[in-house]
Amino acid sequence: MLMRFCLCLALLWLPHAVSSQVFMRPVDNAAALALGGATVANPGLTTGLGNDALPALGEKSGVFLGSALPFGISGWQTAQFQGFMRVSANDGFGLEILHSGIEEYREQRFRLQYGRRLGDKLLLGGSADALRVSAAEYGNATALSFGLSILANPLPDVWIGARVQNPLQLEMAGETIPAVLRIGAAWKASGVLTLLTETEKDLDRRVQVKGGIEYQPVSLLVFRAGIRTEPARMSFGAGGRLKNGLALDFGAEWHPVLGITPAAMLVWRK
C-alpha cells in the first residue's frame, strides 16, 4: 500500500495531461540525469543516444546499461539498454530498450535509430519505435511511432541539436502518445568544460527548461551537475573511466516533494 501511495504521488508530479496520455516520461540514464536531461545537443556519446544522429558521430561502437530507483520507491523498476555501431564513415545504427513499471502496470519502449553524416558540420537521424503497455486488470496494447533528429556544428565549439518524437500524435488503446519536441545547444568552453541547455515541449504540457555542466579535470574522471524546471529539480553525478573502454556513471536528481532518484550506469565504448 505504501508503494502504491508513493507511486500516486509520483504521478501527481507529472503534468496535468497525464490522464489523456499513455506513456510516462522515462527516467534518464545516470549521466543524462546528472545533467538535468540536457543531452539533445551533446556532441559526445558519454550520455548515451539522446539524439538519433549520434551513431554516425565518430566512435565505432558502444553499450550503455543502466537502472534507476525513481524517488526511492523499491517497487518501481526501471532498466535501460542502449547500443550503437558505426557501419561506415558516414552512418551508424543504434538500439534502445527501456523498461519502467510496477507490478500492476509496465511500459516498454524499443527504439531503432539511424544516423547519417551529411557533412563535417551536419548530421541527421531518425528512429522507429515500438511502444508497449501492460496493465494487470486491462490487458496490454502496442503501438508504433517514429522520430526525427538533427545535430549541427554552426560555430567552433558550439553545437545545436533538435529532436521531435511522434510528430503525428499517434494513439495507443484510444489514448494519445505524447508528441515531444526538444531543442538544445552545447558549448565546449574548453577541453575540460561543456555547458548544455535545452527546452522540451509537448502539446499538453508546459515547456520544460534544462541546463547542465560537465567538468572533466582529468581523462579518467568527470563531474556533472544540472537543473530542470516544472517543478525545479537539482541533479548531480560523477563518472570514472576504467580499463578496456569501460566506464561507470552515477547520478541523482532531487525532487522538492518526492525526494531523490538515484541512478547508475555501466558503459563500454571504443
Side-chain angles (χ1 to χ4, degrees):
M1 290 298 294
L2 178 60
M3 183 273 290
R4 293 184 181 180
F5 175 73
C6 293
L7 181 59
C8 290
L9 288 178
L11 293 177
L12 288 175
W13 157 70
L14 296 172
H16 300 296
V18 162
S19 60
S20 64
Q21 297 181 340
V22 179
F23 263 71
M24 295 183 290
R25 182 173 291 145
V27 179
D28 294 318
N29 65 45
L33 186 74
L35 289 171
T39 62
V40 74
N42 189 3
L45 283 156
T46 56
T47 54
L49 303 177
N51 187 306
D52 299 321
L54 283 173
L57 190 61
E59 297 187 26
K60 292 183 178 180
S61 58
V63 174
F64 305 82
L65 297 172
S67 184
L69 192 63
F71 315 115
I73 302 174
S74 59
W76 191 341
Q77 301 175 354
T78 70
Q80 306 154 339
F81 167 87
Q82 291 181 329
F84 70 91
M85 177 176 291
R86 186 161 55 88
V87 296
S88 75
N90 294 316
D91 58 357
F93 287 92
L95 176 65
E96 181 180 60
I97 302 174
L98 302 178
H99 169 84
S100 178
I102 59 174
E103 183 178 354
E104 294 84 1
Y105 178 77
R106 296 182 176 88
E107 299 179 346
Q108 292 88 33
R109 184 193 302 271
F110 305 87
R111 172 176 290 157
L112 179 63
Q113 299 169 295
Y114 174 74
R116 176 76 178 179
R117 180 182 288 276
L118 301 183
D120 293 338
K121 299 181 180 296
L122 180 64
L123 300 92
L124 295 180
S127 66
D129 291 36
L131 312 174
R132 178 180 174 82
V133 297
S134 177
E137 299 181 3
Y138 301 98
N140 55 70
T142 303
L144 301 178
S145 180
F146 70 97
L148 299 170
S149 297
I150 186 171
L151 187 62
N153 181 207
L155 298 171
D157 302 322
V158 175
W159 291 78
I160 303 296
R163 183 182 190 187
V164 58
Q165 187 64 38
N166 190 36
L168 300 182
Q169 278 211 303
L170 302 176
E171 295 185 353
M172 175 190 291
E175 300 293 341
T176 302
I177 302 172
V180 181
L181 174 64
R182 299 168 60 199
I183 301 175
W187 176 36
K188 298 185 72 67
S190 67
V192 300
L193 182 66
T194 302
L195 304 176
L196 304 109
T197 184
E198 179 179 322
T199 59
E200 178 181 321
K201 181 70 172 76
D202 73 45
L203 295 180
D204 298 315
R205 295 170 175 162
R206 297 179 180 177
V207 173
Q208 186 179 109
V209 180
K210 312 172 187 178
I213 180 171
E214 185 174 78
Y215 176 60
Q216 190 170 8
V218 295
S219 61
L220 300 180
L221 187 63
V222 59
F223 297 99
R224 303 181 179 99
I227 187 172
R228 73 176 85 191
T229 61
E230 297 301 326
R233 286 162 282 164
M234 305 292 293
S235 56
F236 56 89
R241 288 189 177 182
L242 308 177
K243 295 181 179 180
N244 302 318
L246 291 175
L248 283 174
D249 287 294
F250 301 93
E253 181 182 79
W254 175 78
H255 189 284
V257 176
L258 302 174
I260 293 180
T261 295
M265 180 171 64
L266 176 65
V267 181
W268 173 78
R269 293 160 43 223
K270 70 173 184 178

